[in-house]
Amino acid sequence: MRVITKIARQKNNPDRYNIYVNEEYAFPVDEAIIIQFGLTKGKILEEFDIQEIAYEDEIRKAFNKGLNFLSYQMRSEHEVKKKLLSLEFGEAVILEAIQKLKSYGFLDDETYSKALLDTKKATMKKGPRAIRQDLIKKGIDKNLQDEVLDTYSREEQVKLATQLAEKVIRSENKKTPTQIKAKIQDFLMRKGYSFNIVDEVLSHVEIEQAEDEWQQLLDVQGEKVWKKYVSKYTGYELKMKTKQALYQKGFPVEVIDRFIAEKENEE
């Protein structure tokens, strides 16, 4: 007959207890398990009781590890499962622990996904496509991804994308309007916005260049192009190569013609 003869609190972990059976150390348990099974001194334990207690205690340990993992920041169910697997808990134990975490409201993929969406919008101004990739990495269900991203309105996307576009304009003052718009398009696409949103933003942003600003751009880009071709071409061919290169960069024809005329006069 197996009888509990002593229950002692662990010195280094006050939430854990050592159970002694027939005056000998038998196994450790969490405080919650003592309550759950009504473990008291003098209680008789059958073999299947001990096995069930050990299993439930393992679940409790996984639950506590998961809870601690969640205490630092919100996590998805996938992240918690991955963490518990890394701690070498069994699959069945992990599923039970996760279910407990969900039942107590500590783990909720819907709440997590909405919070992730809000965070990515507020801190990085990400578009839906980029946020979907974040949700996929966190193991969020496809239907839940769709549900959450449906709340990201077109108006809000345009607003945030426009703010990003304006930031690019301010930082790229050494480029032509055409080059800046290409930079905006590339930047917004990488941020996860659709082509339709990018196109709408580009149709609204205004990038104007004053006469002296064109000259400043030519002093840099025009000189670079001219230097590249003057060693290879002469006459009409040099003129057309230079004109084509500067036109592709977004310089107006009249500005290009004036630049080429000035270079020819220098020679």
Side-chain angles (χ1 to χ4, degrees):
M1 185 171 63
R2 300 183 180 187
V3 180
I4 296 177
T5 52
K6 182 180 178 182
I7 298 177
R9 187 190 298 267
Q10 294 182 356
K11 293 181 179 180
N12 297 328
N13 189 345
D15 292 328
R16 300 281 295 173
Y17 291 78
N18 292 329
I19 305 297
Y20 292 78
V21 175
N22 297 340
E23 304 298 341
E24 294 183 353
Y25 170 76
F27 53 84
V29 292
D30 191 89
E31 184 175 33
I33 300 301
I34 289 180
I35 297 172
Q36 180 181 343
F37 285 89
L39 301 181
T40 59
K41 186 177 179 179
K43 184 179 179 68
I44 298 174
L45 298 177
E46 301 292 343
E47 180 60 33
F48 71 87
D49 292 327
I50 295 175
Q51 292 177 359
E52 186 178 2
I53 289 169
Y55 179 66
E56 289 295 330
D57 187 59
E58 189 73 0
I59 292 172
R60 191 69 195 185
K61 285 192 290 185
F63 173 87
N64 289 336
K65 290 292 185 181
L67 189 59
N68 181 63
F69 187 51
L70 288 164
S71 68
Y72 297 101
Q73 67 182 64
M74 293 182 70
R75 314 275 187 177
S76 68
E77 184 176 326
H78 172 76
E79 289 178 290
V80 173
K81 182 177 181 179
K82 185 177 178 181
K83 176 66 175 179
L84 294 179
L85 282 171
S86 73
L87 296 174
E88 299 186 348
F89 286 103
E91 185 80 22
V93 168
I94 291 173
L95 292 177
E96 290 284 355
I98 284 177
Q99 192 57 45
K100 282 183 179 292
L101 289 167
K102 290 167 69 174
S103 68
Y104 288 125
F106 295 123
L107 193 58
D108 185 332
D109 273 1
E110 182 176 355
T111 300
Y112 172 82
S113 298
K114 290 177 179 178
L116 185 144
L117 172 68
D118 291 339
T119 299
K120 296 300 181 180
K121 289 191 296 185
T123 61
M124 303 178 71
K125 295 181 173 61
K126 281 190 175 184
R129 291 180 177 177
I131 295 175
R132 184 181 291 279
Q133 289 304 310
D134 291 328
L135 292 170
I136 289 173
K137 290 177 182 177
K138 301 300 183 181
I140 302 302
D141 177 75
K142 174 65 166 56
N143 291 331
L144 183 53
Q145 292 174 32
D146 294 338
E147 181 183 328
V148 170
L149 290 172
D150 281 345
T151 67
Y152 196 171
S153 70
R154 182 181 182 86
E155 290 73 20
E156 190 173 15
Q157 291 179 52
V158 171
K159 177 184 176 181
L160 295 179
T162 299
Q163 291 174 3
L164 290 173
E166 291 170 346
K167 182 178 179 180
V168 173
I169 293 172
R170 290 193 298 270
S171 65
E172 300 291 345
N173 54 6
K174 293 184 179 181
K175 289 184 170 58
T176 68
T178 298
Q179 290 172 317
I180 293 174
K181 286 192 172 185
K183 183 80 173 181
I184 290 172
Q185 177 174 312
D186 179 63
F187 185 54
L188 294 183
M189 293 294 285
R190 284 189 285 109
K191 276 287 187 177
Y193 292 95
S194 68
F195 180 79
N196 288 335
I197 295 295
V198 175
D199 192 48
E200 183 173 342
V201 170
L202 289 175
S203 69
H204 291 153
V205 296
E206 294 183 2
I207 310 171
E208 297 181 356
Q209 294 283 3
E211 190 64 32
D212 61 331
E213 291 176 324
W214 281 119
Q215 187 57 51
Q216 291 174 12
L217 292 173
L218 281 171
D219 288 342
V220 178
Q221 297 191 44
E223 291 295 337
K224 186 175 181 179
V225 169
W226 184 264
K227 185 177 180 180
K228 176 182 178 181
Y229 291 123
V230 73
S231 61
K232 300 178 181 179
Y233 307 101
T234 59
Y236 178 79
E237 196 170 11
L238 170 61
K239 181 177 179 180
M240 293 308 296
K241 287 288 185 181
T242 302
K243 192 168 187 175
Q244 181 183 17
L246 292 178
Y247 183 76
Q248 290 176 344
K249 291 179 180 293
F251 287 90
V253 174
E254 62 272 16
V255 172
I256 298 172
D257 288 341
R258 186 167 64 248
F259 170 75
I260 292 176
E262 290 174 356
K263 300 305 293 182
E264 290 176 334
N265 288 335
E266 288 178 5
E267 297 182 353

